[in-house]
Amino acid sequence: GGRFGAGRSESGWLPAWLTSSGHVRSRGVLVGLALFMVIVIYLMPLEHHLGEAPQPLETQAGGEGLKNPAASLPSHAGVRGAVVPPADEVDGSETLMILMLSDNAYQVWQMRLFHYHYLKVKQPGKLVTIVSSPGRAEPSFSCDEPFMTCPIFITDDYATAPNGDHFVVYNRAEGLREFLSAFRAGSIASLDPAVLTNVVIVEPDFLLIKPITAIPARHAPVGHHYFYMEADYPWSNNSYVINNCSPRPAAVAPIGVPYIIHADDLWQILPAWIESTRWNRFPQPWANNEKSWIADMWGFACAAASLGWNSIADKQLAPEPPMDADISHRSVAIHYTYGQEVGNFAFNKRDWFGPPVPRPLPPIPDEASPLQHLWYDLINEALLNVFGKADVDPTGPQILKPAE
């Protein structure tokens, strides 16, 4: 019998005490209860795991005690019944962070603030800034400036598709294709493709609050969950997109930047991402029939689903004030794409084609949300350190509005 067989019934899987005549009824109750619990756990919707109440960070950015977001990311999200590759397919390599922008004053000042917080949180790995520039002209900035990180990789401008459609975000996937061709060939001296196999794609209007250390499984890219890509989002034709952009509509996740993906997966998805982005550039009934401004996001989501992948869309990965009220222990960056209006305080990144003034910014009212207060602290700190103090420009945008 051996130690592992002792005390077992003839059936082999029930303990002997449960098979005795005095415990027949108890056995039936316990087995039934166990089966019920298995069914409940199996059918539990994934959204339950993604809808946790926000939890504050233990310390400020760059401090000790911050939790590793990789430990808190769900194994899969947005897709029920997703199949996650075995653990031995999860690469423990270093991270290559890719910041993408066009060479214009509007994006450059945001890029400078991103670099500041990238250095502050001591992000592991390497950062490359990819600049789309017509004719691959030298950009208006260099990585020798204060709080900047090398290298800078210059690509051509791909904002106009072969069909004549102009969409500046075509530069993302096309620019990545050009960069990865050089990167995979080992043509960029400071970037080793054999080591930097975990890729994080970010945008200039991100402020890191702690290092991004999550390393996803192969064919399971991670990204932020965007509510306006949900199937039932009102005033949209999302259900049409989801049902027609991929043969696997149930796997089309509401995913967007920051993308966290294996370098080989990124290379694999690029052709389908580019093609799907072009397909998704059709008029939107909810936006005065303008062509979709999130076609690139749909392009990635649809391409990933079509490749048989199961994307992870985490609602708390990169919260956006004022749409979100606070960060979570899973949050890694603040995405300030929306304007901030609290009392007589109003800030919108789109108002500024150079570093905002005055610096420091006027105080944000107490009634601002915790996320807005954190955004204010981080952007104010970066503005002062990168660009220095400056008075208000009476001829430019005003952050403090006159009292009504």
Side-chain angles (χ1 to χ4, degrees), residues 18 37 51 54 97 104 169 175 194 208 221 251 292 301 305 338 365 377 383 402 404:
L18 252 180
M37 292 301 296
M97 185 167 287
N104 59 65
V169 195
L208 293 180
S292 175
Y338 297 104
D377 291 342
L383 283 169
E404 295 182 355

Side-chain angles (χ1 to χ4, degrees), residues 29 44 54 58 82 92 123 130 151 158 178 186 224 233 254 264 294 299 301 332 350 381 392 398 403-404:
V29 171
M44 185 180 297
E58 290 79 4
Q123 170 68 39
I130 299 180
Y158 298 99
E178 184 175 339
H224 186 68
Y233 181 68
D264 290 342
I294 58 170
V332 295
R350 294 167 183 81
E381 175 187 341
V392 66
Q398 302 301 306
E404 295 182 355

Side-chain angles (χ1 to χ4, degrees), residues 68 115 141 303 370:
N68 182 347
H115 275 250
F141 58 91

Side-chain angles (χ1 to χ4, degrees), residues 94-99 114-115 118 122-129 149-151 179 183 188-192 195-196 198-200 202 212:
E94 294 185 21
T95 294
L96 174 63
M97 185 167 287
I98 299 176
L99 172 61
F114 178 90
H115 275 250
Y118 170 89
K122 300 178 181 179
Q123 170 68 39
K126 296 282 188 176
L127 169 65
V128 59
T129 302
T149 303
C150 293
F179 165 75
F183 171 68
I188 306 175
S190 61
L191 304 180
D192 185 352
V195 175
L196 298 166
N198 188 51
V199 175
V200 178
V202 293
I212 300 179

Side-chain angles (χ1 to χ4, degrees), residues 235 237 280-293:
W235 313 299
N237 54 0
N280 274 289
R281 281 282 290 166
F282 49 78
Q284 304 293 296
W286 51 275
N288 297 321
N289 283 325
E290 294 182 7
K291 291 184 177 180
S292 175
W293 56 271

Side-chain angles (χ1 to χ4, degrees), residues 57-348:
L57 288 175
E58 290 79 4
T59 66
Q60 287 296 318
E64 298 298 327
L66 299 184
K67 297 180 180 178
N68 182 347
S72 302
L73 285 171
S75 59
H76 51 281
V79 183
R80 294 181 182 173
V83 178
V84 178
D88 60 6
E89 292 188 28
V90 178
D91 198 324
S93 65
E94 294 185 21
T95 294
L96 174 63
M97 185 167 287
I98 299 176
L99 172 61
M100 307 194 69
L101 70 151
S102 299
D103 186 19
N104 59 65
Y106 164 68
Q107 288 195 310
V108 168
W109 70 263
Q110 298 171 47
M111 176 270 298
R112 296 286 306 278
L113 304 190
F114 178 90
H115 275 250
Y116 173 87
H117 282 289
Y118 170 89
L119 293 171
K120 180 180 177 181
V121 303
K122 300 178 181 179
Q123 170 68 39
K126 296 282 188 176
L127 169 65
V128 59
T129 302
I130 299 180
V131 186
S132 299
S133 180
R136 298 182 180 85
E138 287 294 319
S140 58
F141 58 91
S142 75
C143 55
D144 296 327
E145 299 176 45
F147 303 106
M148 284 290 292
T149 303
C150 293
I152 294 172
F153 186 88
I154 305 169
T155 74
D156 204 352
D157 184 85
Y158 298 99
T160 301
N163 62 5
D165 179 42
H166 184 82
F167 180 48
V168 69
V169 195
Y170 282 137
N171 278 319
R172 179 158 20 220
E174 292 280 14
L176 284 168
R177 178 187 54 77
E178 184 175 339
F179 165 75
L180 286 178
S181 296
F183 171 68
R184 289 164 61 89
S187 302
I188 306 175
S190 61
L191 304 180
D192 185 352
V195 175
L196 298 166
T197 59
N198 188 51
V199 175
V200 178
I201 302 171
V202 293
E203 292 185 340
D205 59 346
F206 274 50
L207 300 172
L208 293 180
I209 57 177
K210 61 181 175 182
I212 300 179
T213 56
I215 299 179
R218 293 296 305 273
H219 306 152
V222 175
H224 186 68
H225 177 120
Y226 286 86
F227 66 91
Y228 49 76
M229 294 177 69
E230 295 170 354
D232 57 354
Y233 181 68
W235 313 299
S236 75
N237 54 0
N238 290 359
S239 59
Y240 173 82
V241 174
I242 292 169
N243 290 325
N244 290 277
C245 75
S246 170
R248 299 176 66 235
V252 178
I255 187 171
V257 288
Y259 295 112
I260 310 175
I261 184 172
H262 192 281
D264 290 342
D265 289 350
L266 179 57
W267 180 251
Q268 181 184 357
I269 198 176
L270 281 174
W273 186 1
I274 293 169
E275 186 62 31
S276 184
T277 298
R278 294 173 184 170
W279 181 86
N280 274 289
R281 281 282 290 166
F282 49 78
Q284 304 293 296
W286 51 275
N288 297 321
N289 283 325
E290 294 182 7
K291 291 184 177 180
S292 175
W293 56 271
I294 58 170
D296 166 83
M297 299 168 68
W298 281 121
F300 182 95
C302 299
S306 298
L307 288 171
W309 301 356
N310 293 302
S311 300
I312 300 166
D314 190 322
K315 293 180 178 179
Q316 299 173 3
L317 191 63
E320 301 173 289
M323 307 305 292
D324 299 300
D326 207 345
I327 57 174
S328 137
H329 63 283
R330 297 205 302 268
S331 303
V332 295
I334 295 176
H335 188 187
Y336 58 101
T337 188
Y338 297 104
Q340 313 303 318
E341 295 188 12
V342 185
N344 68 334
F345 180 96
F347 180 98
N348 192 318

Side-chain angles (χ1 to χ4, degrees), residues 28-47:
V29 171
L30 287 173
V31 171
L33 180 61
L35 290 174
F36 173 78
M37 292 301 296
V38 169
I39 292 171
V40 167
I41 293 172
Y42 180 78
L43 294 180
M44 185 180 297
L46 295 173
E47 290 78 5

